[in-house]
Amino acid sequence: MTPAERIQTTLRFAGDWPAWAGVGAALVLGGLGWVFYLRETRRHSGLQRFLLPTLRAVAIGMMALMLAGPVLHHRKIIGQLSHLFLFVDGSASMGLTDASMDAGRKLAILQRLGLLKEDAVKSELPKVGEALADAQALAERGKLSQGATAEEWKRLTTDFLAKAEAARDSLSKSEFDSARVDNFSKELTAPARELANREARQIDDRTRAIGDLQRLGEVATRWAIEVQETFQRKVKGAAASEGSSLKAALDKFDQMPRWRRLQSLLFEGEPDKLISLLAGKYDVHLLSLDGSEAKPLWQPARNNPSPPLSLPAPTAGFTNLSTGLKSGVGEQEKNLRGAVVLFSDGQHNDGDSPTELARVFAARGLPIFTVGFGSQVRPRDLAVIRADGPDAVFFEDRVRGEITLKDDMPVGAPFKLSVSDGERVLWERQLTTEGRNVRKVPFDFSIGDDVKEKLKAQRGEMQLSSLPLQFTVAVSQIEGDVQPANNEGSLRVRAVTQKRRILLLDGRPRWETRYLRNLFERDEQWEVNCVIAGSARGESGFVRGARAEQFPTESAQLQSYDLIVFGEVPRSVFKGDELQWIRDFVEKRGGAVVFIDGARGRLKEYADSPIGPIFPVEWKAAGTREGIAKVALTAALAPFTLAPDKAQNAEVWAGLPPPHWISGATPLPGAETLIEVEVGGKKMPGVVLRPFGAGKVLYQAFDESWRWRYEVADQHHVRYWNQIASWIAELPFAVRDKFVSLDAGAITYRPGDTADLRVRLRDGEGRPVTNATVDAVLYRDGQKTATIRLLADDNAGGLFRGKTAALEPGNYTVGIESAAIPSNELKARTEFKVEPRETGELVQLSVNEDLLRQMSAVSGGRYLREEQMPRLAELLAPMSQGRVIESDTVLWQSFWWFAPVVLLLTAEWIVRKRIGML
């Protein structure tokens, strides 16, 4: 054996019985023989008593084991094997059939599978189609050849010309007339020859040549369609005859899913299976892409020389080609020699771009060879791709959004698109098909009556702040729709049933206050109580009471608000413990306060008051009106997003009209400046945030954000304040009873996610309960699945938080257990659902050849259609630096097995004779 050779020897079983049965029989029969024979030797003592039964038992066991056919398998590796990673797409779309595939491809695949004779349909057109498909792949590679050398470009254009000439030669032997063949030569072959002979050494010449190659690729595509349609008609005519074997074969193809065709092409065929051919020259790793995971199926180098007989049925609800390939290959060293082969329909619908991963693999020297399974012809199908709507909507408002449909049906067929809640149809529209592949349809419907009915059915002890609703989005069935399973989708919305409350306080009716009052009064999700000092005749301060435009008379009334907007209110307006109530509202209740300063400097008066510590700033300098230039955003937070793009957002903020006055406040330690105002070349804090206790406090150093309405009306001003209010105020709890407020975060989670649980406990008088043990009890589909200990939030009185473990699909209910509250008083329950993300796995039914071609072209590999799969061995051959020679030593038929049995029996006979047992 030379140093370049390595031999691996493993024990296999190739008999009529499986290994477990043979080994089991050997142990049982050998054991019975030992026990039975031990009875004959009981008169003897010492070694002789046990030696004879042991010799007989071993001989019997070896003879029984022959039924399993023990074989020594030798795997000799000569040279250095290249790694070959074979990835099989295990997503649900690989279970689709392809009745819409063109007849030429069907026949080629049937012939590869051995289900149809080579001469079943005499025509050269399938060869034309195959040559044009190769030409299309070369044109795709041409897009990436800007940096190629002159020799590489010459080779590419020469290969394209060869495919075009091969297509012309086959076309001239087909049923096409000579005039059409001449047109083919003029449109494709002649320009391809000119391009192949053209010198393209300069960048401009190369750019023009690449453009010309792309145009020739489009010509090849157009001719491929014409050839396909012509051959389709020929096959239909041949299959129409009575008892046609061609028709039977085509019918069988139409029922065969993609993964079974892959299984046959990979594991079947004589004299050698493709998987065996590849394993003879490479270190093969066969893996299945199951969602985002790459699951190992077979690797002969790991003492497993026999390839599997079948593939696992595809079940994954989504396709992630990037993550699966990356994890399956692993972080090998960059100089690792090898290649990746992907068998897929290319329906990537989750994760990062596979094309970008292909670039990474190219840098590591790992080309990707893709084999596309499925029809390139879109079958007739009408499907709901997705429904986009608001996450939450006030129940008296309307749900508005957009439904995305896939419309691959003939033009003019009528159908209905509807949104329903159970049997109740909430919205419906009569439409006709347009054959546009993807189309969008807006929807708009009311949920008020639907929510009111559901609220009546709820338990009276609970108050719901929101109600999860799930609607069914569906298209009606149309004749000829090949995939009715994708005719439905879902839309989940949180219906907000109680308005959030804002208390707006000011010492006078400033413009800022007026606009804020009007803004929130127009918003259905907010209830505004605006209290202005001196608004009542004969009253210089606040009017107090429980009605609108009155300041609360009790602390409990104040705690019912979610947000306080505090303007320039003179300190003298407040009485008794009212300022302490506001501090408790922030510190203990977890409420939010927005202070809006003004030129009269009223907020300075509260520095030594009960609310002094909650301010995020201190006033060391006076305000100014001079040199104010512009407003600038300093924190990239969602509430300050006024434009979708980051650069556009910064531009919008820079263009906002600056205020005419700004306070000289300085942020305190722990505070964060979110907006700055440029004054005389220096930057001063404009908006400052600081958490305090359980709540948050925002300070705005000017009262002229209403000026942002100049020439754009509500565009920026309304968005700014709506986002600020929704962000800074504590998220409402989904449900509450007298003692417990409970929330489980989102109304829909994905498998593997964790739910955020929040609970606030209060005693019978509404005071927070802080020193308690609180458990959340989780039920899935009515069965108790977990008890989760919640931890107290030290900065939020009575607030407890926790997370669930990774969630499995199902309908969940969350309840609370705590010794601090009587169990019969714990009424609050909230719900959420865990379901897979809608990826549209069964929406796009045709193969995504564009993506697979790009992955191959970018990485330096090749794209093949499934009927071209046997060419893999030829294309991969240049990468092989070694080979594998496999051989077997059939033990159960060999001297090496027979001789020990004879020796054991002989030894037994000799011993028996010596001790007088013969």
Side-chain angles (χ1 to χ4, degrees):
M1 185 174 66
T2 65
E5 294 182 2
R6 303 187 308 279
I7 297 179
Q8 299 173 349
T9 300
T10 55
L11 178 64
R12 298 170 53 192
F13 294 90
D16 295 332
W17 286 20
W20 64 268
V23 173
L27 292 174
V28 170
L29 294 176
L32 290 175
W34 191 88
V35 172
F36 181 79
Y37 198 17
L38 186 64
R39 296 167 59 188
E40 294 186 26
T41 61
R42 65 179 179 270
R43 294 191 301 262
H44 299 273
S45 61
L47 180 62
Q48 298 169 352
R49 182 182 179 187
F50 299 100
L51 179 60
L52 288 174
T54 301
L55 292 173
R56 178 73 62 87
V58 174
I60 293 173
M62 291 186 67
M63 287 187 286
L65 195 60
M66 292 172 64
L67 296 171
V71 174
L72 284 179
H73 182 80
H74 311 288
R75 190 168 187 262
K76 180 189 289 187
I77 302 173
I78 301 174
Q80 182 64 42
L81 294 182
S82 298
H83 291 267
L84 185 62
F85 298 90
L86 306 178
F87 289 93
V88 174
D89 188 345
S91 63
S93 62
M94 287 293 285
L96 297 173
T97 57
D98 294 289
S100 66
M101 184 182 289
D102 67 87
R105 292 194 60 203
K106 285 184 180 180
L107 294 182
I109 295 169
L110 286 168
Q111 290 166 354
R112 296 293 189 193
L113 295 174
L115 300 176
L116 192 66
K117 295 180 179 179
E118 293 286 339
D119 59 350
V121 177
K122 295 181 179 180
S123 177
E124 293 290 321
L125 293 181
K127 295 180 180 179
V128 178
E130 184 172 342
L132 291 176
D134 288 341
Q136 290 173 265
L138 291 168
E140 184 69 32
R141 287 173 58 191
K143 294 180 182 179
L144 307 168
S145 59
Q146 186 73 47
T149 64
E151 291 74 16
E152 291 171 338
W153 173 254
K154 182 70 172 179
R155 186 163 53 251
L156 177 66
T157 54
T158 301
D159 290 344
F160 185 90
L161 173 61
K163 295 299 180 184
E165 290 178 337
R168 183 204 56 197
D169 293 342
S170 297
L171 194 67
S172 64
K173 301 174 185 178
S174 71
E175 51 269 35
F176 268 61
D177 58 50
S178 57
R180 293 299 294 151
V181 175
D182 290 341
N183 284 341
F184 182 92
S185 298
K186 292 177 182 177
E187 294 180 10
L188 187 62
T189 311
R193 183 177 295 108
E194 187 275 329
L195 182 62
N197 293 329
R198 188 189 308 175
E199 294 290 336
R201 298 188 179 277
Q202 301 298 322
I203 294 179
D204 291 343
D205 295 337
R206 178 69 57 79
T207 301
R208 284 193 296 271
I210 290 174
D212 290 342
L213 182 59
Q214 300 313 304
R215 284 187 286 275
L216 289 179
E218 294 170 1
V219 172
T221 301
R222 176 165 52 80
W223 273 97
I225 294 173
E226 181 179 344
V227 168
Q228 167 196 324
E229 292 174 347
T230 302
F231 189 69
Q232 192 88 2
R233 290 192 294 269
K234 180 179 179 65
V235 171
K236 284 184 178 180
S241 59
E242 190 70 25
S244 170
S245 61
L246 177 59
K247 183 178 184 305
L250 291 172
D251 289 343
K252 186 171 184 178
F253 178 92
D254 292 345
Q255 301 300 317
M256 187 179 295
R258 296 167 184 171
W259 73 278
R260 288 198 180 276
R261 303 199 301 265
L262 170 58
Q263 178 177 283
S264 298
L265 290 168
L266 199 57
F267 299 135
E268 299 174 9
E270 295 296 338
D272 292 312
K273 306 177 181 66
L274 179 59
I275 188 72
S276 299
L277 287 175
L278 297 176
K281 294 185 177 181
Y282 306 92
D283 181 8
V284 169
H285 306 252
L286 180 63
L287 307 101
S288 173
L289 292 178
D290 189 356
S292 300
E293 297 181 65
K295 296 183 176 180
L297 297 179
W298 178 63
Q299 186 178 353
R302 294 190 174 181
N303 299 328
N304 187 17
S306 298
L309 300 177
S310 62
L311 294 173
T315 57
F318 61 94
T319 306
N320 186 335
L321 299 181
S322 55
T323 305
L325 263 64
K326 184 177 180 180
S327 63
V329 172
E331 295 297 328
Q332 306 283 352
E333 57 271 18
K334 290 188 177 182
N335 60 354
L336 174 71
R337 186 175 180 86
V340 173
V341 180
L342 172 63
F343 305 100
S344 173
D345 55 19
Q347 295 305 334
H348 175 78
N349 45 50
D350 187 84
D352 298 332
S353 168
T355 306
E356 292 305 312
L357 179 69
R359 297 184 193 279
V360 174
F361 278 17
R364 294 174 55 184
L366 285 173
I368 301 177
F369 292 78
T370 55
V371 182
F373 280 77
S375 171
Q376 80 280 20
V377 180
R378 293 199 300 264
R380 293 187 175 187
D381 187 39
L382 183 66
V384 176
I385 296 178
R386 66 178 180 273
D388 297 314
D391 293 330
V393 62
F394 188 63
F395 81 102
E396 292 182 353
D397 203 350
R398 300 179 68 81
V399 179
R400 299 178 177 87
E402 195 173 58
I403 299 170
T404 304
L405 300 178
K406 188 188 72 166
D407 182 356
D408 284 338
M409 299 295 292
V411 177
F415 70 95
K416 289 182 180 179
L417 175 62
S418 63
V419 179
S420 58
D421 183 5
E423 298 296 325
R424 183 177 179 182
V425 178
L426 302 176
W427 178 86
E428 186 177 69
R429 178 171 292 183
Q430 186 71 41
L431 301 168
T432 57
T433 56
E434 299 176 355
R436 288 192 295 153
N437 189 230
V438 176
R439 59 190 290 193
K440 299 181 182 294
V441 181
F443 64 82
D444 181 343
F445 60 89
S446 171
I447 58 172
D449 294 339
D450 199 42
V451 172
K452 289 176 182 177
E453 289 185 11
K454 285 180 167 56
L455 290 176
K456 290 178 182 178
Q458 297 295 322
R459 298 165 61 181
E461 301 93 337
M462 294 193 300
Q463 296 180 13
L464 295 176
S465 299
S466 63
L467 186 69
L469 301 175
Q470 178 160 326
F471 307 111
T472 299
V473 182
V475 292
S476 58
Q477 181 67 37
I478 298 181
E479 184 178 357
D481 187 352
V482 300
Q483 190 59 250
N486 57 24
N487 286 9
E488 287 189 2
S490 63
L491 172 67
R492 285 180 65 82
V493 176
R494 186 194 296 270
V496 179
T497 58
Q498 294 185 5
K499 294 185 177 183
R500 302 173 76 181
R501 304 187 69 202
I502 293 180
L503 179 60
L504 187 56
L505 306 176
D506 212 328
R508 68 185 194 279
R510 295 183 294 175
W511 284 107
E512 191 83 317
T513 306
R514 291 176 181 178
Y515 276 113
L516 286 179
R517 176 176 185 170
N518 293 336
L519 183 158
F520 287 111
E521 283 183 343
R522 293 196 305 267
D523 193 329
E524 292 288 347
Q525 298 189 47
W526 291 97
E527 177 185 321
V528 182
N529 181 19
C530 185
V531 185
I532 306 296
S535 59
R537 182 177 299 179
E539 177 66 61
S540 60
F542 290 153
V543 177
R544 288 166 174 80
R547 292 182 294 179
E549 301 185 3
Q550 296 180 345
F551 189 83
T553 56
E554 298 178 0
S555 175
Q557 294 176 2
L558 184 68
Q559 306 303 318
S560 68
Y561 288 92
D562 298 285
L563 174 64
I564 297 175
V565 178
F566 197 112
E568 277 206 307
V569 183
R571 178 175 175 177
S572 60
V573 167
F574 292 99
K575 301 177 180 179
D577 294 331
E578 289 175 344
L579 290 176
Q580 185 63 45
W581 297 352
I582 294 176
R583 174 170 173 164
D584 291 344
F585 169 79
V586 180
E587 185 176 17
K588 297 180 179 179
R589 186 262 187 236
V593 174
V594 175
F595 289 105
I596 302 179
D597 214 339
R600 297 188 181 183
R602 293 293 188 183
L603 295 184
K604 298 179 186 178
E605 301 173 4
Y606 295 93
D608 59 349
S609 73
I611 66 171
I614 77 173
F615 281 95
V617 297
E618 58 183 348
W619 292 268
K620 292 184 176 179
T624 182
R625 295 182 181 274
E626 303 296 329
I628 301 176
K630 64 179 180 178
V631 177
L633 185 65
T634 61
L637 297 177
F640 300 93
T641 301
L642 301 182
D645 180 76
K646 184 177 180 180
Q648 291 178 343
N649 191 49
E651 185 177 341
V652 169
W653 276 99
L656 293 175
H660 292 174
W661 174 90
I662 183 171
S663 78
T666 303
L668 291 171
E672 181 181 7
T673 300
L674 306 179
I675 294 176
E676 293 179 333
V677 179
E678 187 175 317
V679 181
K682 298 181 179 180
K683 293 181 179 180
M684 299 181 64
V687 175
V688 181
L689 172 72
R690 188 178 69 155
F692 184 82
K696 298 176 183 177
V697 180
L698 192 75
Y699 170 81
Q700 184 171 289
F702 53 89
D703 60 353
E704 294 171 295
S705 67
W706 58 272
R707 294 186 182 277
W708 299 347
R709 301 171 57 86
Y710 179 69
E711 293 186 342
V712 293
D714 290 345
Q715 183 177 351
H716 302 317
H717 182 255
V718 170
R719 184 170 184 174
Y720 171 76
W721 280 108
N722 271 331
Q723 292 177 163
I724 289 291
S726 298
W727 166 66
I728 196 171
E730 182 181 54
L731 290 173
F733 291 87
V735 61
R736 65 178 183 268
D737 58 27
K738 182 179 179 181
F739 299 95
V740 175
S741 297
L742 174 62
D743 189 77
I747 59 174
T748 304
Y749 288 99
R750 305 303 173 201
D753 286 351
T754 58
D756 295 311
L757 306 178
R758 291 187 301 139
V759 174
R760 189 179 293 281
L761 292 188
R762 298 189 183 280
D763 60 19
E765 298 180 4
R767 295 172 298 193
V769 176
T770 56
N771 188 18
T773 300
V774 182
D775 292 326
V777 184
L778 201 63
Y779 299 86
R780 178 164 62 93
D781 298 328
Q783 301 295 319
K784 184 176 179 179
T785 59
T787 299
I788 303 161
R789 178 60 51 88
L790 304 182
L791 301 178
D793 189 329
D794 295 334
N795 295 321
L799 184 66
F800 298 82
R801 297 180 183 272
K803 280 182 177 290
T804 67
L807 296 167
E808 298 180 3
N811 295 303
Y812 286 79
T813 302
V814 184
I816 294 300
E817 292 179 351
S818 176
I821 308 294
S823 58
N824 61 334
E825 297 289 349
L826 294 170
K827 311 292 185 182
R829 296 285 189 277
T830 190
E831 299 176 352
F832 61 87
K833 188 172 185 178
V834 179
E835 58 183 5
R837 184 173 65 85
E838 295 181 4
T839 60
E841 176 66 24
L842 298 181
V843 171
Q844 297 297 337
L845 306 182
S846 57
V847 61
N848 188 347
E849 287 195 324
D850 289 342
L851 174 62
L852 297 176
R853 288 184 194 276
Q854 289 172 14
M855 291 177 66
S856 293
V858 165
S859 64
R862 287 285 300 275
Y863 169 73
L864 301 174
R865 288 178 170 176
E866 57 183 290
E867 62 270 26
Q868 299 172 313
M869 188 168 146
R871 292 172 55 187
L872 264 178
E874 173 191 345
L875 294 173
L876 293 169
M879 300 182 185
S880 176
Q881 290 184 322
R883 60 193 177 98
V884 177
I885 299 177
E886 296 184 287
S887 61
D888 290 324
T889 300
V890 184
L891 291 176
W892 62 282
Q893 293 180 352
S894 71
F895 171 81
W896 300 106
W897 193 269
F898 178 73
V901 173
V902 173
L903 288 174
L904 286 169
L905 294 176
T906 302
E908 180 201 354
W909 180 83
I910 293 172
V911 174
R912 283 171 61 89
K913 184 174 181 180
R914 289 181 62 104
I915 64 176
M917 292 185 66
L918 288 180

